[in-house]
Amino acid sequence: MTAPLLRVSNASKRFGGLLAVDNASLIVKAGGITGLIGPNGAGKTTLFSLISGFEPPTSGSIVFDEAEISGLSPHRRASLGIARTFQIVQPFAGLSVRENIAVGAYLHCRRRDEALDRAAVIAERVGLASRLDAPAAGLTVSARKRLELARALATRPRLLLLDEVLAGLNPSEVRDIIPVIKAFVADGITILMVEHVMQAVMSLCDHVYVLAEGRMIAEGTPAEVTREPKVIEAYLGPGAAARIASGAASHG
Amino acid sequence: MSVARAYGAIAIAALLLALLPVMVQSNTVINALVTAMIIALAAQGWNLLAGYGGQFSFGHAAFFGAGAYGNAILQTRYGINAYAAMLTATAIGAAVGAVIGYLSFRSGLRGSYFALITLAFAEVFRIIANATPFTGGAAGTLIKLQVSAANFQFASRAIYFWIILAIVTAVMFLMRGIERSRFGAYLVAVRENEDAAAALGVDTLDVKLKAIMLSAAMTALAGAFYVQYFLFVDSSIAFGTWISVEALLGPIIGGLGTVFGPLLGALALHFLGELAKAVAGRVLGIDLALFGILLVLIIAFARDGLQGLLTRLARLWRARRPA
C-alpha cells in the first residue's frame, strides 16, 4: 500500500479557552476527493488552516508526501503543492481576472508573458474565459468562486483544499461547477473539501470524515456516514437517531 | 500595453522636461524644478512601498534623512568623494529600510500601526540628529563649497536639474519594469490581500522587505541629492515631517500605484505652491492651505489622482470627436 498524500495525526488547536480542533486525525489518499463535513462551528475551517499553514497546531503532526510540514509557513506549503481556497472568497479586488490567476501561475514560472498565457488557459478551464480582462471586484458570487478555483489551480497543486466552494451558489450554479471540480481530479489533483451542500458531497466524495465539536466522530463512504447514529445526532441533537429509527419502525 | 508604449511615454516625458531649462533661464524657476524633482524621487520611493505594496509609511523622512546625513557626514568627516558618498548614503538608506521593515513586518504591523511606527522612527532620528555632535547637532552640517564636476558641484543649476531628471527617469523605467515582473505582481497581491497571496505561494515578508529596502534607497538618494544641491543639512530638513508628507502627497495627488503619479503630483504641487505664493503674496503658509484643499478635492472627485483624471479626460475627448 502506498503512503497517503496527507496524514494529519492527533492534531489539536486551542484558541484561549476554546479547543477548536481536538485530537483530530485524517488521511487523504492520492487521487480522488475526500470530504470533511460537520455542523457549523465543528472546526472544519480551523483544521484547514492547520493543514495550509495559516495557524500552527497546538499539538499533533501534519505529514504531506511523507514529510512533516507543520512548522512550515503557508507559502512554503504552497510551493510543495498544497493550495487552498477561502470560504469567504478573497479576490485581489483591484486586479483583473487574468492578473489574479497570474499571481498563482508565477509560482512556477518567472516570466510575465508565460504567467499571463497560463492564466488564460486556466480561466478557460473554470469557465471564466469571457471575463478574462474584467476587474475581479465586479464579478458575481459564482464567478468569484470560480476565480478562487482558478488561482489555486494556477499554482499546480497536488493537494487542493476547497473550503465550501459551493456555499452561496444556487442549484444550477452548483450543477455547473461540479464537472469543473471533477475535471481537476481527472488531471491527477487530489482534493480535500469542506462542504455543506450534501448533494455535492454524496456525488463527489469517495471518502468522508465527520468533525463535530473539534473531534473526528466518523469516517467512511458518504452512504456509511449518513447512516451513522453519531453523525445524525451531531447534526440533529442527542436522541435524534433513536427517534428516527423508532419512527421508521412504527411506520413500517 | 505594448513594451514600446509602456516605456516610450516615460522617455517622451523626460525629453520634454529636459527642454525646460533651455526655454526658461530664470534661476528661481529652475531652482523650483530641481526641488520638485527631488520630491518626485522621494515620492517614487514612497509610491513603491505604499502605492504598489499597500504599506502606508508616514515616516519616509527616516530614509530621506539617512541619505542626506549619510552623504554630508561621509564627505565632511571622512573626506569621501561626493559620488561615492551619495552611493554609500543610498545604501545606508536601504539598510535603515531593512531594519525598520524587519522590525515592523516581522511583528505583523499593518495599516495605521505601520504608519505610526515609521513616524516614530523618523521623529527619534530627528531628535538624535539634533542632539549629537556627530551630525553637527542643532547647527547642522555644511558641505564646503568647491565647485567642480569631480565634487558633484556645478555652477549651473540646469546641470543639477538634468542629473536629477535622469535619476528620476531611470527610477521610472525601473518602476515600469517592476510593474511587469513577478515581484511587481506579488507586491500588488500583498497590497490587495496578504492571506490570499500567501496561499498562492507568495513569501509576503520577503516581498515587503525587498519593497521597503528599494523604496528607502530611492528616498535616501533623494536626500543625498538634496544635500548635494543645497550643501547644507540639519535635523528638521533631513528628518522633518515635511518630507514624509511631501513624499506621500505627490503620489496620492498624482495617482497612487502608477509610474507617473509621483512625478505628476510633485510637479503639480510645486507649480501650485509657487502660484499661490505669487498671487497671495506674503500670506504665510498659503501654499500649505492650498495643498490641503487640493488633497480634499482629489480624494473626493478623483480617487485615482491626476493620472486617472487625465486618462478619463482623454477618453472623453476621443469619444466626443466624430469618428
Side-chain angles (χ1 to χ4, degrees):
Chain A
M1 189 186 140
T2 56
L5 186 62
L6 176 76
R7 180 195 293 274
V8 177
S9 313
N10 310 105
S12 295
K13 179 66 191 178
R14 180 178 285 283
F15 295 108
L18 175 77
L19 197 55
V21 175
D22 182 2
N23 213 19
S25 301
L26 68 76
I27 283 173
V28 178
K29 288 194 196 121
I33 304 182
T34 304
L36 177 61
I37 64 171
N40 286 327
K44 305 181 295 290
T45 296
T46 305
L47 185 55
F48 258 36
S49 293
L50 299 184
I51 299 171
S52 55
F54 282 83
E55 298 283 354
T58 309
S59 64
S61 91
I62 299 161
V63 173
F64 177 70
D65 195 19
E66 301 184 65
E68 175 67 44
I69 58 165
S70 54
L72 299 181
S73 53
H75 72 267
R76 287 282 302 127
R77 298 189 201 198
S79 51
L80 288 177
I82 301 178
R84 75 170 290 183
T85 65
F86 290 88
Q87 184 179 358
I88 299 157
V89 289
Q90 314 266 12
F92 302 128
L95 305 186
S96 70
V97 166
R98 186 204 284 261
E99 289 165 335
N100 261 272
I101 305 172
V103 173
Y106 270 121
L107 185 59
H108 292 291
C109 54
R110 255 206 114 79
R111 291 186 42 202
R112 180 171 183 260
D113 44 0
E114 239 176 275
L116 291 177
D117 286 348
R118 208 175 132 63
V121 172
I122 288 166
E124 177 85 49
R125 285 187 53 190
V126 300
L128 279 175
S130 62
R131 311 298 310 273
L132 206 52
D133 294 308
L139 295 180
T140 61
V141 174
S142 149
R144 283 172 190 221
K145 298 272 184 180
R146 286 168 190 266
L147 181 58
E148 284 277 321
L149 285 175
R151 278 196 323 204
L153 190 61
T155 65
R156 296 195 200 152
R158 292 161 65 202
L159 174 65
L160 181 54
L161 308 169
L162 301 179
D163 196 352
E164 297 203 30
V165 273
L166 304 177
L169 300 184
N170 67 37
S172 83
E173 288 165 341
V174 170
R175 212 165 47 235
D176 289 343
I177 218 162
I178 283 180
V180 175
I181 296 173
K182 281 187 170 158
F184 292 178
V185 180
D187 276 358
I189 298 172
T190 305
I191 292 177
L192 174 62
M193 67 192 304
V194 164
E195 198 47 74
H196 272 307
V197 180
M198 287 310 280
Q199 160 216 350
V201 174
M202 302 299 272
S203 75
L204 282 171
C205 298
D206 317 307
H207 199 83
V208 176
Y209 285 87
V210 187
L211 197 65
E213 293 173 5
R215 280 187 293 274
M216 212 58 94
I217 58 166
E219 64 161 304
T221 64
E224 281 164 13
V225 298
T226 47
R227 278 198 306 268
E228 176 71 39
K230 274 195 280 185
V231 176
I232 297 171
E233 294 192 352
Y235 275 93
L236 299 178
R243 280 200 300 280
I244 289 170
S246 69
S250 64
H251 288 297
Chain B
M1 193 162 28
S2 73
V3 178
R5 268 194 70 187
Y7 294 97
I10 301 172
I12 291 168
L15 284 177
L16 288 178
L17 282 171
L19 291 177
L20 281 177
V22 182
M23 295 186 294
V24 195
Q25 254 109 42
S26 148
N27 257 339
T28 324
V29 173
I30 297 177
N31 194 36
L33 279 172
V34 172
T35 315
M37 294 307 280
I38 293 173
I39 302 294
L41 180 57
Q44 285 287 357
W46 185 87
N47 192 42
L48 170 63
L49 185 65
Y52 289 92
Q55 313 301 315
F56 283 80
S57 148
F58 200 70
H60 256 51
F63 313 133
F64 186 86
Y69 270 117
N71 184 24
I73 292 171
L74 283 170
Q75 288 189 54
T76 53
R77 286 193 178 262
Y78 300 100
I80 289 170
N81 170 274
Y83 294 89
M86 285 176 77
L87 279 180
T88 315
T90 306
I92 292 172
V96 171
V99 171
I100 294 180
Y102 187 81
L103 292 175
S104 32
F105 295 142
R106 185 86 232 190
S107 32
L109 293 182
R110 296 183 197 185
S112 38
Y113 296 99
F114 177 68
L116 282 176
I117 204 81
T118 51
L119 174 66
F121 269 106
E123 280 297 285
V124 168
F125 288 166
R126 187 179 63 78
I127 291 162
I128 293 174
N130 197 46
T132 9
F134 182 67
T135 54
T141 297
L142 207 62
I143 295 179
K144 209 161 139 202
L145 180 71
Q146 283 174 311
V147 177
S148 144
N151 294 335
F152 206 113
Q153 292 186 21
F154 308 97
S156 151
R157 286 173 195 276
I159 294 183
Y160 284 102
F161 175 74
W162 283 318
I163 294 171
I164 185 75
L165 176 64
I167 296 172
V168 170
T169 308
V171 164
M172 285 170 75
F173 273 107
L174 176 69
M175 291 306 300
R176 188 66 93 198
I178 287 174
E179 257 185 0
R180 301 165 68 88
S181 72
R182 173 161 80 172
F183 172 63
Y186 278 3
L187 192 57
V188 171
V190 165
R191 173 188 75 199
E192 295 290 328
N193 191 321
E194 272 196 60
D195 280 349
L200 297 176
V202 179
D203 185 345
T204 55
L205 179 64
D206 180 69
V207 167
K208 286 193 282 186
L209 279 179
K210 281 180 182 154
I212 198 172
M213 284 175 69
L214 202 52
S215 164
M218 290 175 190
T219 305
L221 181 56
F225 192 93
Y226 184 98
V227 168
Q228 202 58 40
Y229 183 63
F230 291 104
L231 297 177
F232 174 70
V233 62
D234 69 13
S235 64
S236 61
I237 291 172
F239 293 118
T241 35
W242 73 279
I243 184 65
S244 296
V245 171
E246 293 237 19
L248 66 85
L249 271 184
I252 291 175
I253 286 176
L256 209 56
T258 64
V259 169
F260 277 99
L263 179 66
L264 278 175
L267 286 175
L269 280 178
H270 275 259
F271 177 72
L272 273 173
E274 296 301 319
L275 201 70
K277 278 187 218 159
V279 172
R282 313 185 75 162
V283 184
L284 209 63
I286 184 74
D287 50 336
L288 294 179
L290 200 79
F291 288 179
I293 294 170
L294 188 67
L295 190 64
V296 170
L297 286 177
I298 290 278
I299 287 168
F301 299 110
R303 291 299 291 271
D304 42 3
L306 289 176
Q307 155 130 341
L309 200 67
L310 290 176
T311 322
R312 268 181 285 152
L313 286 179
R315 209 175 297 144
L316 216 69
W317 187 65
R318 246 178 269 142
R320 283 266 182 87
R321 261 192 329 185

